[in-house]
Every structure is written in structure tokens, then in C-alpha cells.
């Protein structure tokens, strides 16, 4: 092995790497983020989920995004006291207590006021433990205290006869419905049910006062002695104990001062110290881990001087110190950080990562700015190849941009001045030069195709070169017999061979080239404003997803190309990307696309609709991903380069968690001024004046893990037709008209999932007098009254018109009846004259027939007199009358007149005006010639609810007695009797009159 190759094996390196791989990301909350000051002695959480941070000069409330500060105000009895905070805690009923040196105060959420608990003035409370819904126990310098918050009643156990309960209590923990008290005489066990206390017999700790106490998931007690501040672990049965002095000393962590013990949700014990940083004991492995400030790693803890430690309800651990607060999720280790080098990591270039490959033995090879590194994950051994002044050259150039492991386990290395190949079998680093067929150019990458050829992309010369593993010869793309040679001379950055056999060539400024062997065609895609353009011309990485879409990263965004239709989808900072400058790409087995950008790692979901952004708060060592490639290990894990090391992760470990989060309406501001109102009551109502219609509502979601992914949805019913979705937590409204409105809102950590029930409150805005309901009720009532009066006037006028019309109709009817009576009177004398003439002749010739004739005449005139005052008669009666009349006429005309009656029995009860048929028969006789040679035939029958009187037409030239008014008068009469009119029809052979039958 060349002497200038540097091999580093570090003792206890396995421990170091393990700790680094599991290190949480420590998020910082300092004065820059809104704290009043950076000295933090106590951290706690209220029942709503807000984190309260006591700093030296104020109280600070944090929701994951913003800090609200409460400070002492001279003359304001409801502000916090001008005193040092000793403890904080919440009970299960929503009360929040703060212990100051001067005593205990409670915070009233609805008003933002602080109320002293008068019975505890001057009492220093060191720990607040909620015991049940009605009781809180306080560890104080005056012994154990019982507080009932609902009544503010206080009981001091120092008044008991037992002298143990008079001891000052420094710390306290609840375990199996008992309280364990840390006192100067040791550990006390208090049974609240029995109100009894016993001292725990601990021979190894006899005579030592206790400062802190905690219990891990296995039931072991952890205590810190008061004088020497040493850490002890005590068995649940109190029969054995263990001191960890030697463990800390061996690890170089001599504890100067323990400031707090805390158990996380996994049951591990965390110890905050002064000067020694943060310590964790894993109760599963029984191993210690130390976390100290590293100025070269921004994700490390910000200080080694801590004052307190607290674990919230969601498992986040909060550490207060002299530089504000550090908080983290001890279970979150999604990203493992692997540094490119183990030594000289304070040199900037040696922290920058570029490319990776994995050899057949599972060793990882890193290409960096400062050479090649081989890392063995099993032995934690780093081996470097880099050039140094005054030393022999070991690689072409320290700047490495491409790595690839071939089928013989050789490592191909693309540098800024040529290609190296490391023979894993011989351990020799080979230099490949022009004489070998590969120019000594600047190379961007090493790739392979499905035919086993190894491709080298260069900004110089022909741009692309490949090595045929069968012939073991290098060739230029210009020498290729296929149309690929059309791309010769374009600076190359990347080659990708897709599942359909297409070659994709990324150029260094000229876009993207595609060669399809199936049809022997080529295409070039470039950036621009035309349809079919890609995002950028400098190509970085190329990948294919499960749907056959080709994804291309560039300096100007990411493009998705569908070769089936040659359609292109571009993403940049305008439609979801955190930064236009993109680098490594990877597609996981769920078809999600991972994109490294210059502002963080992004995940584009399988629907290609939603982005998720990962930053340093998620454990990344840097948010800047360089213009290089990702690597997928044989196990399916991804390795991506950043500006501060590699990240190694299993993409399937990440699934979007739709965690429910607490959310509240934080404030209501009118014209920019915040109102003092409780918006979170279930019946909250805000009443505003008519001109108070410019307001804004601030919403808060308690989200400490990923506040950058908090989404809000809100709607003001009556104003907003749909929900508004935004990551801004303020809803603003202007010029809202008077009325009652319901404001609803909710929060989520995903823009696509809204599972929580919305919260709401009512806003009532007064109306000016002309916009009030009373005004409009009166106005509408007056309008209706006016319309009613007009309506009544119109009704009266209409009634008068109807009355006049009715009188006119009656007059018209009377006139018609008079005309009809006149017609009857005209017909009767004429008929009588003809009948008497006929009778006179019969008396002389046939006296018997004359008697019969006279009898029929009597019946005829008796019918006329009987029905003289009737409007209607039965059809049966009228037909009987016509039959008599026909007999009389037959006596006169004999066979010259034929009258046929064909009316069904069911029609006989229908009604008709009296003498109607007699007039019609008489009218036919009057106007037609009657002769036995050509008789007049008159037919009476029913048709379509009409009685038809029809006769053959043989008109007389002159009708002596006709006044032309008979049929007109009859028609007028039936207009009053029926809604149907008389129908007259005349043809060349017949005359037909249809009379409506009345029911």
C-alpha cells in the first residue's frame, strides 16, 4: 500500500459512531427566537400543551412557532412577581402554577392574569405534582403541602406530629399512588391515603441528603445526593443501590453539578449537568451516552451548562441552560449522519460530501473534495487516498465527482483530472491515461448501462466515453456506430439507461439528450418558455420512477418526462420546490421522489401533488445538498451528500404521521389592537360595534416536532364560501357588514389530511339603524301595509267593475230572454194561423180527425204555457213536445215532411232551453220547400254532447215571415246557459245546428 495512503483506526470509535448515528437534532430556542433572555432555570408544560420557559427576567410561553412573554409590571397586581421562578406545573383540571421565591401563583388563561395563592405567600415550592383531579402536592422548603385548586384550600403537613413531614422537600416523584420525597435526611415515602410517612432505609446513602429523585420504566429509583451531587440508582425493593461515579470518571465526564433528573417516554433517564453537558442512561442496554456542544456541528446541543430538564406529554425533551433552551425528540433518529472523514473535520472542505458507492464487502466509498475515503461500517475504520504536497501522487486529483463499483469489485473513480481504478483484489490504485484510451479530462460522473458498459461524463473533449467490460477497451461516443455519436462534443455530466433501453445524457449547459435504440432516433430537450421545455440546461441527476417517468434534476428545478407521450412536468420554487437548485434524486419502493435541494431535502409524494420538506430541525447536518448524486445501497437505504457529511436513511421508515395537535385561537385584534377576550370557551361570543369591522384572528397550533409543516384551515361563515387553507396563522377580514358570524378553524401537520373537529366562536357586529332587523321589519311592514291598502283599493274597484259587468250581463240576459220571448210570440201566432186554417179544412172534410188535431194543439200550447218561465227543461220533455208539433205539421204537409228522432235514453235527462227544438224545426220548415215528391227530412240525434238538428237543404226563394233574428237570439241565450256555443254548419246539401246539452 502506498505510504501516503492514510489509514486511521480510533479506539472506542464504535461508540463514537453509534452515538453520532443516534444523536438527536437539538433545536434551539434563544433570544433570537423571542425569549426574554437566555438564562433558563425551569421548563414546564400547561394543560393546553404550551411550553412555559422561565427565564431570568420573565415567563415565556411557546407554541412551536412564536414566543409570548409575560413580565413584571410595576403597579399591576396581575402581572408576574419580581421574583425568581423555582418551579412550574399543571394539574389535570387546567390550572397552571408557578412557584416563585415569594410564593405560588396561578395563571388564568382566559384573562392572561397571574393570581397569588395567598395561603402560600413566602413559601418556596420546588416541585408541583398533580395527584388526582382535585389535589396537587407541592414540595416546598416548609415541607410537603396539599393544595386543592378548585377551592384554593392549603394544608401544611409540617403541622403533623411526625417530624419527617417538617423537613424541607427538595424534589418529589409519584410512584404507584405514593409520593417519594427527596430531603436532607434521605428518601421519604408518603402515602396520601393513610397520611403516613416512612424513611426509606438506604444504608449506602445513610446520612446523605438528596437533591433530586426520578423513577425509570423498570421501577428503579434514581437520586442525586445533595452535597456531592452524585448519581445513584436504587432497586425497586430498596435492597440494592449503585453509584455511577466510576462510570462517569472513566468516560471523562466527571460530574461537577447535577441540575436535574428526568425520565423520557421510553423510560430512559436523562441527567442535566453544569459543565458536563447532557447525559442519557438507556435502561434497555444499560449504557450511557453523552451529548456535548460541538461548535462544528449545528445540530449539537448549544451549551454544556444546563439548569434543568423536562419531558413533555409528546415525548419531547427540553433542556434549560445559559443559552436558552435546547429541545429534541429522543426517539427520532430517522437520519444517520456519516462524516466523510473522522479527522480534521474542522477543515471546511473535509466536511463537504459528494458521491458514494458500496463495494461487494459492504464497505462504503466516499468521493470528496479532498480525495477518496473508504469506510467500513463494521470496524468503523476510515481509509483515505488524497494527494499532499511533498508526497507521491496517489490519485489523479483530490476533487472526486464520480464513483462506481464494477462486477469485479473494482472501484472506478472520476476526478477533476482523469480516471482512477482501485483494484480491490490487489489493493492497487491504477491511473488510467490517454494511452489506455481514456483522456485525462475533468469528469463529472461514472455510470453504467444495462449492457455492462461503464460510462464517463466529461465537460471536455467528446463529452462522453465508455468502457466495454467484454473487450476491455475505452471508446468515445463519437466512435459509437449508433446515433449516439450525434451528442459528441456536448459537455457531459450524467448518463442514465432506463428500463426500456433508452439512453438519457445530461449535458453541462446544453440540456438533455435521449437516444431510443428501438426506433434509432434521438431527441434533445432544453430549457425555455416553449411547451416541451425542461426546467434547466445544467443536468445533475437522472432517475426513473415506477411509472416509467424520467426525473431530471438541474440548477433550475426538476423535470418529469413521460416518454410514452413525451409530456413534461416541471417543478421549481413557484410550485413547490424549496430551491430551484437541485441535486441528488432517489425513488423509493413507494414511488416517492426524494430531492436534495440547496434549502433542504424534499419528498414528493407518489401522486406528485404534495412536497414534504426536511431541514436541520429534522436531523439533517446541513440543508444544502450539492450538485451530485444519491446512492442506493444493496439493502435499499439511501445515501445522499450534504455540505456537512452524508445522510444515510431507510426511506420506508418515513411515513407521514397525521398527528393530532392541540390548536387554539390565540388572539383577536381590532384595527391591530389585541382585545382581552377568551376565544377558547365553547360559548365564546365577541360583540363589536358597527364600525368595528376590521379585525384579525391569530391561531396557534402546538407543534414542536415540525412547526414548518403546520397547516391551518379557517372559514368565516357568511363571508367565506369555502375553507381557506394556509400555513399562515393569521386570518384577516376587512369591511365585514353587520351581522352574526361563526368563525371556525382547525390545524393539521398535513395539507392533505384534516381529521380533527374544528373549533369555533361567534362574532357579532352591530348594524347601523338602517341595517338593523327592526328597521327593516318596520320598513317591510309599512311596505306590506301600503301594498295591502293598494290591494284593498284595487279589490274595491274590481268589485265595482264586476258588479257593473254583472248588471250588464243580467241586462244582456234579460234582453236576450225578451228577444227569445218575442221570437216565441212571433212564432206562435204564425203557427196558430196555419194550424187554424188546417183545422177549418178538417172540420169540413173529416170531423173526427179535426177533433184529434184540436187535442194535439191543446197539448202543444199547454207545454208552452207550462214552461214559459223556465230556463231549462229535460230533453225528454222537449222531444215529446217536438213529436206533438211534428204530428200537427204532418197533418198539414202529409208525406212532404219527414221528422226522424234518434236520441239514446241515457241522454234524455240532459237539459235544454224550452221550445228550442220547436223553433229549429219551425225554422227548417219556414226556409225550405216541402213537397211530397222531394220531402223535407229533419233529423234529431246526439253527437259529442250536442243535440243535432239537421235538414236537407232545398231553400225557398222568398221567406215571408223571417226577421233574421231567430238564430241570433237563440245563440245569445245559450251563451248564458252554457260555456259551449251553438254550432251552425251549412253545406250545399244540408243545414245543421248543434245545441249544447246541459247537465
Amino acid at each position: 500500500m502506498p505510504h501516503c495512503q492514510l489509514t486511521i483506526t480510533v479506539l472506542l470509535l464504535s461508540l463514537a459512531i453509534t452515538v453520532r448515528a443516534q444523536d438527536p437534532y437539538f433545536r434551539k430556542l434563544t433570544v433570537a427566537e423571542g425569549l426574554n433572555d437566555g438564562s433558563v432555570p425551569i421548563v414546564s408544560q400547561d394543560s393546553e400543551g404550551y411550553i412555559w420557559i422561565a427565564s431570568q427576567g420573565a415567563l415565556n410561553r411557546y407554541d412551536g412557532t412564536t414566543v409570548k412573554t409575560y413580565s413584571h409590571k410595576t403597579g399591576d397586581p396581575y402581572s408576574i412577581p419580581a421574583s425568581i421562578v423555582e418551579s412550574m406545573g399543571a394539574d389535570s383540571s387546567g390550572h397552571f402554577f408557578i412557584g416563585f421565591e415569594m410564593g405560588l401563583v396561578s395563571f388564568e388563561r382566559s384573562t392572561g392574569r397571574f393570581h397569588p395563592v395567598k395561603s402560600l405567600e413566602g413559601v418556596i415550592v420546588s416541585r408541583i405534582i398533580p395527584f388526582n383531579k382535585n389535589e396537587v402536592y407541592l414540595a416546598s422548603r416548609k415541607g410537603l403541602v396539599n393544595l386543592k385548586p378548585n377551592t384554593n384550600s392549603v394544608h401544611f403537613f409540617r403541622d403533623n406530629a411526625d417530624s419527617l413531614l417538617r423537613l424541607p422537600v427538595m424534589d418529589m416523584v409519584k410512584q404507584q399512588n405514593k409520593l417519594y420525597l427527596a430531603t436532607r435526611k434521605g428518601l421519604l415515602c408518603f402515602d396520601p391515603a393513610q397520611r403516613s410517612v416512612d424513611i426509606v432505609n438506604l444504608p449506602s446513602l445513610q446520612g446523605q441528603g438528596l437533591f433530586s429523585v426520578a423513577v425509570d420504566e423498570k421501577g428503579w429509583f434514581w437520586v442525586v445526593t445533595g452535597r456531592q451531587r452524585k448519581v445513584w440508582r436504587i432497586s425497586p425493593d430498596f435492597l440494592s443501590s449503585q453509584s455511577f461515579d466510576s462510570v462517569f470518571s472513566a468516560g471523562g465526564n466527571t460530574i461537577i453539578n447535577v441540575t436535574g433528573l428526568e425520565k423520557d417516554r421510553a423510560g430512559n433517564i436523562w441527567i442535566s449537568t453544569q459543565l458536563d453537558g447532557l447525559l442519557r442512561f438507556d435502561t434497555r442496554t444499560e449504557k450511557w451516552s453523552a451529548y456535548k456542544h460541538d461548535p462544528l456541528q449545528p445540530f449539537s446541543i448549544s451549551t454544556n451548562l444546563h439548569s434543568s430538564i423536562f419531558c413533555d406529554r409528546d415525548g419531547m425533551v427540553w433542556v434549560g441552560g445559559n443559552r436558552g433552551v435546547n429541545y429534541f425528540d429522543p426517539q427520532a433518529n430517522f437520519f444517520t449522519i456519516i462524516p466523510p472523514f473522522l479527522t480534521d473535520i474542522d477543515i471546511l472542505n473535509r466536511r463537504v460530501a459528494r458521491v458514494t458507492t458500496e463495494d461487494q464487502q459492504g464497505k462504503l466509498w466516499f468521493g470528496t473534495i479532498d480525495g477518496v475515503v473508504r469506510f467500513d461500517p463494521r470496524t468503523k475504520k476510515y481509509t483515505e487516498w488524497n494527494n499532499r504536497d511533498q508526497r507521491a501522487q496517489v490519485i489523479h486529483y483530490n476533487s472526486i465527482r464520480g464513483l462506481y463499483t464494477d462486477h469485479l469489485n473494482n472501484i472506478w473513480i472520476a476526478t477533476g483530472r482523469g480516471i482512477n481504478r482501485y483494484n480491490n483484489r490487489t489493493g492497487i490504485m491504477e491511473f488510467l491515461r490517454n494511452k489506455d484510451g481514456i483522456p485525462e479530462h475533468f469528469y463529472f460522473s461514472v455510470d453504467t448501462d444495462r449492457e455492462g458498459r461503464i460510462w464517463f461524463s466529461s465537460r471536455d473533449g467528446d463529452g462522453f466515453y465508455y468502457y466495454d467490460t467484454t473487450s476491455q477497451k475505452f471508446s468515445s461516443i463519437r466512435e459509437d456506430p449508433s446515433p449516439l455519436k450525434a451528442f459528441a462534443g456536448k459537455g457531459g455530466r450524467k448518463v442514465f439507461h432506463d428500463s426500456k433501453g433508452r439512453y438519457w445524457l445530461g449535458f453541462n449547459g446544453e440540456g438533455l439528450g435521449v437516444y431510443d435504440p428501438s426506433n434509432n432516433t434521438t431527441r434533445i430537450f432544453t430549457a425555455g418558455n416553449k411547451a416541451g421545455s425542461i426546467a434547466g440546461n445544467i443536468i445533475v441527476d437522472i432517475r426513473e420512477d415506477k411509472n416509467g417517468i424520467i426525473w431530471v434534476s438541474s440548477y433550475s428545478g426538476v423535470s418529469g418526462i413521460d416518454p410514452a407521450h413525451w409530456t413534461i412536468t416541471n417543478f421549481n420554487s413557484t410550485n413547490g420546490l424549496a430551491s430551484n437548485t437541485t441535486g441528488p434524486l432517489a425513488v423509493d419502493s413507494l414511488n416517492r421522489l426524494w430531492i436534495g435541494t440547496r434549502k433542504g431535502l424534499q419528498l414528493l409524494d407518489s401522486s406528485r401533488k404534495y412536497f414534504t420538506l426536511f431541514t436541520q430541525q429534522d436531523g439533517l447536518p446541513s440543508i444544502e445538498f450539492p450538485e451530485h448524486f444519491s446512492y442506493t445501497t444493496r439493502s435499499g437505504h439511501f445515501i445522499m451528500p450534504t455540505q456537512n457529511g452524508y445522510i444515510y436513511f431507510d426511506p420506508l421508515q418515513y411515513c407521514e404521521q397525521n398527528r393530532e395537535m392541540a390548536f387554539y385561537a390565540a388572539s383577536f385584534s381590532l384595527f391591530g389592537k389585541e382585545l382581552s377576550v377568551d376565544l377558547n370557551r365553547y360559548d365564546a361570543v365577541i360583540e363589536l360595534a358597527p364600525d368595528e369591522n376590521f379585525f384579525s384572528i391569530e391561531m396557534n397550533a402546538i407543534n414542536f416536532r415540525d412547526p414548518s409543516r403546520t397547516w391551518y384551515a379557517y372559514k368565516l361563515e357568511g363571508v367565506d364560501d369555502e375553507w381557506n387553507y394556509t400555513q399562515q396563522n393569521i386570518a384577516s377580514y376587512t369591511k365585514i357588514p353587520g351581522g352574526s358570524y361563526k368563525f371556525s378553524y382547525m390545524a393539521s401537520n398535513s395539507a392533505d389530511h384534516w381529521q380533527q373537529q374544528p373549533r369555533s366562536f361567534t362574532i357579532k357586529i352591530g348594524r347601523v339603524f338602517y341595517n338593523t332587523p327592526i328597521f327593516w321589519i318596520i320598513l317591510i311592514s309599512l311596505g306590506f301595509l301600503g301594498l295591502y291598502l293598494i290591494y284593498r283599493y284595487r279589490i274595491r274597484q274590481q268589485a265595482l267593475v264586476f258588479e257593473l259587468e254583472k248588471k250588464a250581463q243580467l241586462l244582456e240576459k234579460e234582453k236576450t230572454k225578451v228577444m227569445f220571448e218575442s221570437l216565441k210570440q212571433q212564432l206562435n201566432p204564425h203557427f196558430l194561423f196555419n194550424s187554424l186554417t188546417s183545422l177549418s179544412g178538417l172540420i169540413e172534410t173529416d170531423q173526427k180527425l179535426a177533433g184529434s188535431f184540436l187535442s194535439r194543439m191543446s197539448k202543444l200550447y199547454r207545454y208552452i204555457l207550462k214552461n214559459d218561465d223556465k230556463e231549462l227543461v229535460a230533453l225528454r220533455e222537449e222531444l215529446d213536445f217536438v213529436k206533438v208539433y211534428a204530428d200537427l205539421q204532418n197533418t198539414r204537409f202529409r208525406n212532404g215532411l219527414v221528422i226522424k228522432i234518434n236520441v239514446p235514453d241515457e241522454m234524455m235527462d240532459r237539459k235544454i232551453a224550452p221550445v228550442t227544438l220547436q223553433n229549429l224545426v219551425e225554422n227548417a220548415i219556414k226556409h225550405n220547400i216541402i213537397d211530397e215528391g222531394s220531402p223535407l227530412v229533419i233529423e234529431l240525434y246526439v253527437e259529442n254532447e250536442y243535440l243535432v238538428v239537421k235538414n236537407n237543404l232545398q231553400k225557398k226563394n222568398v221567406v215571408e215571415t223571417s226577421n233574421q233574428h231567430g238564430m241570433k237570439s237563440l245563440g245569445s241565450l245559450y251563451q248564458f246557459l252554457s260555456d259551449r256555443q251553438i254550432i251552425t254548419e251549412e253545406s250545399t246539401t244540408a243545414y245543421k245546428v248543434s245545441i249544447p246539452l246541459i247537465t
Side-chain angles (χ1 to χ4, degrees):
M1 184 177 295
H3 70 278
C4 50
Q5 171 187 329
L6 178 62
T7 301
I8 304 173
T9 304
V10 181
L11 293 175
L12 300 178
L13 190 57
S14 176
L15 175 62
I17 297 300
T18 300
V19 172
R20 174 60 54 83
Q22 296 179 348
D23 273 1
Y25 175 81
F26 289 91
R27 306 177 194 186
K28 283 76 174 175
L29 185 61
T30 67
V31 175
E33 286 76 37
L35 288 184
N36 180 77
D37 56 88
S39 180
V40 175
I42 301 292
V43 180
S44 188
Q45 187 176 32
D46 65 20
S47 59
E48 291 181 319
Y50 290 99
I51 290 295
W52 287 77
I53 301 160
S55 61
Q56 197 169 51
L59 279 176
N60 308 268
R61 191 182 72 177
Y62 183 51
D63 62 15
T65 305
T66 58
V67 176
K68 184 178 179 64
T69 300
Y70 300 89
S71 57
H72 174 71
K73 298 177 182 178
T74 303
D76 183 357
Y78 299 111
S79 66
I80 66 171
S83 180
I84 302 298
V85 176
E86 296 284 342
S87 62
M88 292 187 292
D91 68 5
S92 57
S93 300
H95 302 93
F96 187 67
F97 299 99
I98 305 101
F100 290 88
E101 283 186 336
M102 50 68 60
L104 191 72
V105 301
S106 65
F107 174 70
E108 185 179 28
R109 175 182 53 81
S110 61
T111 61
R113 294 178 173 180
F114 295 86
H115 300 275
V117 179
K118 294 184 178 180
S119 301
L120 293 169
E121 289 184 3
V123 177
I124 299 176
V125 176
S126 57
R127 176 72 77 172
I128 301 169
I129 300 289
F131 195 79
N132 54 43
K133 291 184 178 180
N134 302 312
E135 291 181 299
V136 174
Y137 281 90
L138 310 176
S140 80
R141 300 292 173 85
K142 293 186 177 182
L144 184 65
V145 181
N146 175 268
L147 169 66
K148 295 182 178 178
N150 293 328
T151 61
N152 264 350
S153 62
V154 174
H155 174 70
F156 287 88
F157 288 92
R158 66 182 179 181
D159 298 332
N160 291 23
D162 197 325
S163 60
L164 292 176
L165 291 176
R166 300 176 188 176
L167 294 171
V169 181
M170 307 305 296
D171 196 8
M172 178 169 55
V173 68
K174 179 183 176 183
Q175 175 74 351
Q176 296 181 347
N177 291 323
K178 293 183 179 180
L179 294 175
Y180 291 86
L181 318 180
T183 72
R184 58 183 174 83
K185 286 192 175 183
L187 189 65
L188 307 181
C189 176
F190 175 75
D191 187 341
Q194 302 297 326
R195 295 293 176 102
S196 62
V197 62
D198 294 302
I199 191 166
V200 178
N201 185 20
L202 300 171
S204 58
L205 296 177
Q206 195 168 9
Q208 297 191 47
L210 301 184
F211 171 76
S212 296
V213 60
V215 181
D216 66 22
E217 63 173 358
K218 295 180 180 179
W220 286 72
F221 286 83
W222 290 74
V223 297
V224 177
T225 56
R227 183 178 302 174
Q228 297 177 336
R229 296 293 169 94
K230 293 183 178 181
V231 177
W232 293 77
R233 184 175 65 160
I234 305 165
S235 64
D237 56 8
F238 304 110
L239 297 179
S240 63
S241 61
Q242 178 184 5
S243 171
F244 289 99
D245 294 357
S246 59
V247 175
F248 294 136
S249 299
N253 294 310
T254 303
I255 299 176
I256 296 178
N257 194 354
V258 173
T259 57
L261 288 174
E262 184 66 296
K263 178 183 72 173
D264 66 19
R265 294 184 68 178
N268 300 314
I269 292 294
W270 292 81
I271 300 177
S272 61
T273 75
Q274 290 184 351
L275 302 182
D276 283 332
L278 187 64
L279 307 173
R280 183 191 70 176
F281 181 79
D282 190 324
T283 54
R284 180 177 55 86
T285 62
E286 298 216 340
K287 292 183 178 180
W288 288 93
S289 300
Y291 303 91
K292 286 194 172 185
H293 172 61
D294 184 348
L296 299 178
Q297 299 296 350
F299 51 82
S300 70
I301 201 163
S302 63
T303 182
N304 291 326
L305 197 159
H306 308 299
S307 304
S308 62
I309 188 167
F310 171 76
C311 182
D312 70 20
R313 294 195 298 269
D314 293 327
M316 299 288 285
V317 176
W318 302 74
V319 184
N322 67 331
R323 292 187 178 179
V325 175
N326 289 263
Y327 62 103
F328 60 96
D329 183 350
Q331 304 305 313
N333 58 346
F334 178 58
F335 297 110
T336 296
I337 302 161
I338 305 176
F341 299 93
L342 188 62
T343 60
D344 299 325
I345 58 175
D346 56 327
I347 300 174
L348 179 62
N349 284 352
R350 289 173 65 84
R351 301 209 307 267
V352 177
R354 278 188 169 170
V355 290
T356 308
T357 189
E358 181 183 21
D359 67 21
Q360 295 175 5
Q361 282 76 44
K363 298 183 177 70
L364 297 177
W365 292 73
F366 301 141
T368 73
I369 295 177
D370 195 27
V372 178
V373 179
R374 183 178 63 197
F375 170 67
D376 189 337
R378 292 186 294 269
T379 64
K380 315 304 179 190
K381 177 180 177 181
Y382 280 77
T383 304
E384 301 180 26
W385 287 264
N386 41 36
N387 297 325
R388 291 289 184 259
D389 293 340
Q390 311 300 323
R391 294 181 183 177
Q393 186 181 23
V394 294
I395 53 176
H396 275 294
Y397 192 53
N398 281 347
S399 179
I400 312 299
R401 293 181 177 269
L403 291 174
Y404 172 68
T405 304
D406 68 15
H407 67 290
L408 298 176
N409 203 29
N410 297 316
I411 309 299
W412 294 80
I413 305 165
T415 79
R417 291 179 184 172
I419 301 298
N420 287 101
R421 180 173 59 191
Y422 179 78
N423 190 318
N424 249 320
R425 183 175 57 84
T426 64
I428 297 174
M429 183 69 74
E430 301 173 0
F431 286 77
L432 303 174
R433 305 185 186 277
N434 292 321
K435 63 180 178 62
D436 301 304
I438 184 77
E440 296 179 45
H441 290 331
F442 182 103
Y443 290 93
F444 277 111
S445 64
V446 184
D447 300 295
T448 185
D449 63 21
R450 295 175 180 273
E451 298 175 1
R453 295 187 295 183
I454 301 172
W455 287 80
F456 308 92
S457 301
S458 173
R459 71 181 184 189
D460 306 320
D462 291 340
F464 298 93
Y465 302 86
Y466 61 85
Y467 176 77
D468 190 322
T469 55
T470 302
S471 65
Q472 299 186 6
K473 292 183 179 180
F474 290 94
S475 298
S476 163
I477 193 174
R478 193 181 300 276
E479 302 165 349
D480 196 84
S482 73
L484 271 171
K485 58 178 172 286
F487 301 132
K490 296 181 180 295
R493 291 187 69 106
K494 185 70 175 173
V495 175
F496 180 76
H497 199 200
D498 72 16
S499 60
K500 301 297 182 182
R502 291 177 289 254
Y503 285 86
W504 301 78
L505 279 66
F507 304 136
N508 187 34
E510 297 186 56
L512 178 72
V514 185
Y515 165 57
D516 189 346
S518 66
N519 53 28
N520 220 31
T521 59
T522 61
R523 293 172 180 262
I524 290 183
F525 297 93
T526 58
N529 297 321
K530 297 179 180 179
S533 298
I534 59 176
N537 286 327
I538 301 178
I539 308 303
V540 179
D541 203 356
I542 307 173
R543 302 290 168 176
E544 181 179 10
D545 70 15
K546 306 297 182 182
N547 298 325
I549 307 300
I550 304 300
W551 293 92
V552 181
S553 62
S554 72
Y555 281 15
S556 304
V558 172
S559 301
I561 305 172
D562 184 355
H565 307 95
W566 297 110
T567 55
I568 298 175
T569 302
N570 292 319
F571 290 101
N572 52 40
S573 58
T574 65
N575 60 348
L577 281 181
S579 169
N580 285 344
T581 306
T582 57
L585 298 176
V587 178
D588 64 25
S589 60
L590 300 178
N591 204 30
R592 300 178 298 184
L593 180 67
W594 297 78
I595 308 167
T597 79
R598 285 302 176 95
K599 289 186 178 179
L601 178 65
Q602 288 193 267
L603 172 62
L604 179 58
D605 75 336
S606 58
S607 71
R608 306 300 184 243
K609 293 181 180 179
Y610 302 106
F611 284 95
T612 301
L613 177 65
F614 299 88
T615 65
Q616 286 179 311
Q617 292 191 355
D618 300 289
L620 295 180
S622 170
I623 62 171
E624 292 188 72
F625 287 75
E627 68 281 9
H628 297 290
F629 326 116
S630 68
Y631 180 76
T632 303
T633 67
R634 291 194 296 270
S635 62
H637 290 58
F638 292 164
I639 300 178
M640 287 189 172
T642 77
Q643 295 289 71
N644 192 15
Y646 297 91
I647 57 169
Y648 172 84
F649 64 98
D650 179 359
L652 299 184
Q653 283 188 358
Y654 176 77
C655 59
E656 189 173 4
Q657 299 178 355
N658 301 312
R659 294 182 295 100
E660 289 191 3
M661 60 180 73
F663 58 95
Y664 308 97
S667 66
F668 186 95
S669 297
L670 192 63
F671 299 106
K673 184 178 180 180
E674 183 176 338
L675 300 184
S676 178
V677 59
D678 184 3
L679 302 173
N680 298 293
R681 287 173 42 191
Y682 73 94
D683 58 348
V685 177
I686 299 175
E687 296 190 2
L688 305 175
D691 59 343
E692 294 178 331
N693 55 0
F694 286 68
F695 55 85
S696 61
I697 302 159
E698 181 183 356
M699 300 161 287
N700 272 358
I702 310 300
N703 188 3
F704 303 117
R705 280 186 171 84
D706 47 9
S708 63
R709 298 184 195 126
T710 300
W711 284 82
Y712 296 92
Y714 65 87
K715 177 172 64 173
L716 186 63
E717 295 182 10
V719 176
D720 299 321
D721 295 330
E722 298 179 347
W723 287 90
N724 298 289
Y725 297 96
T726 178
Q727 287 194 285
Q728 301 296 320
N729 67 330
I730 295 179
S732 298
Y733 292 93
T734 60
K735 296 183 179 180
I736 303 301
S740 180
Y741 302 92
K742 181 182 178 182
F743 181 78
S744 301
Y745 62 100
M746 51 188 172
S748 173
N749 69 330
S750 170
D752 196 34
H753 296 88
W754 300 90
Q755 299 175 342
Q756 292 178 271
Q757 290 296 318
R759 305 185 68 163
S760 62
F761 57 87
T762 301
I763 302 171
K764 292 184 177 180
I765 303 175
R767 294 185 174 97
V768 291
F769 75 93
Y770 51 79
N771 281 334
T772 59
I774 296 297
F775 174 81
W776 285 104
I777 290 172
I778 294 173
L779 186 63
I780 292 171
S781 300
L782 291 175
F784 276 119
L785 179 61
L787 292 174
Y788 175 74
L789 294 175
I790 294 172
Y791 170 75
R792 292 287 297 174
Y793 173 77
R794 293 288 302 275
I795 289 295
R796 287 195 297 271
Q797 295 300 313
Q798 191 70 34
L800 291 175
V801 171
F802 288 159
E803 188 67 27
L804 291 174
E805 289 179 349
K806 184 177 180 181
K807 289 180 179 180
Q809 290 176 353
L810 290 174
L811 290 174
E812 185 68 23
K813 183 177 181 181
E814 290 298 323
K815 175 184 174 184
T816 302
K817 291 180 68 177
V818 169
M819 292 173 65
F820 187 60
E821 290 299 323
S822 176
L823 177 62
K824 289 193 291 183
Q825 294 300 322
Q826 291 173 9
L827 292 173
N828 290 340
H830 179 68
F831 170 70
L832 180 61
F833 173 77
N834 291 332
S835 298
L836 290 175
T837 302
S838 298
L839 180 62
S840 176
L842 289 173
I843 291 173
E844 295 177 358
T845 59
D846 189 346
Q847 292 183 357
K848 184 178 180 180
L849 183 61
S852 176
F853 185 88
L854 182 59
S855 175
R856 289 193 293 270
M857 280 187 64
S858 298
K859 289 181 181 180
L860 192 69
Y861 279 97
R862 189 181 301 113
Y863 175 80
I864 293 173
L865 293 172
K866 177 183 175 182
N867 297 304
D868 185 57
D869 57 347
K870 292 182 179 179
E871 286 188 350
L872 298 171
V873 295
L875 179 58
R876 178 181 290 103
E877 295 179 19
E878 183 69 7
L879 288 174
D880 290 342
F881 170 66
V882 169
K883 290 177 183 178
V884 174
Y885 177 75
D887 288 343
L888 290 175
Q889 294 292 2
N890 284 333
T891 303
R892 178 184 175 194
F893 295 112
R894 299 192 182 277
N895 294 329
L897 177 63
V898 179
I899 297 177
K900 299 178 180 180
I901 300 175
N902 184 20
V903 177
D905 291 341
E906 62 267 19
M907 305 300 292
M908 290 299 185
D909 291 329
R910 300 293 178 90
K911 305 295 183 181
I912 194 171
V915 197
T916 297
L917 300 182
Q918 184 268 341
N919 275 282
L920 293 176
V921 171
E922 176 68 23
N923 192 53
I925 294 171
K926 186 194 312 182
H927 289 83
N928 291 279
I929 298 171
I930 301 175
D931 184 73
E932 290 187 2
S934 56
L936 176 65
V937 180
I938 303 174
E939 298 178 75
L940 285 81
Y941 58 90
V942 175
E943 183 179 72
N944 297 328
E945 298 292 324
Y946 281 86
L947 182 66
V948 179
V949 180
K950 180 181 179 183
N951 63 272
N952 57 323
L953 203 59
Q954 38 195 30
K955 288 184 178 181
K956 295 178 180 179
N957 292 329
V958 178
V959 181
E960 295 180 357
T961 61
S962 177
N963 57 12
Q964 305 295 323
H965 294 298
M967 287 302 298
K968 185 176 180 182
S969 298
L970 193 63
S972 298
L973 177 63
Y974 270 89
Q975 284 183 349
F976 293 100
L977 298 177
S978 174
D979 56 358
R980 297 178 293 165
Q981 298 181 355
I982 292 176
I983 303 171
T984 60
E985 302 174 70
E986 183 176 344
S987 66
T988 58
T989 60
Y991 183 77
K992 178 181 175 182
V993 179
S994 299
I995 303 297
L997 293 174
I998 303 170
T999 57

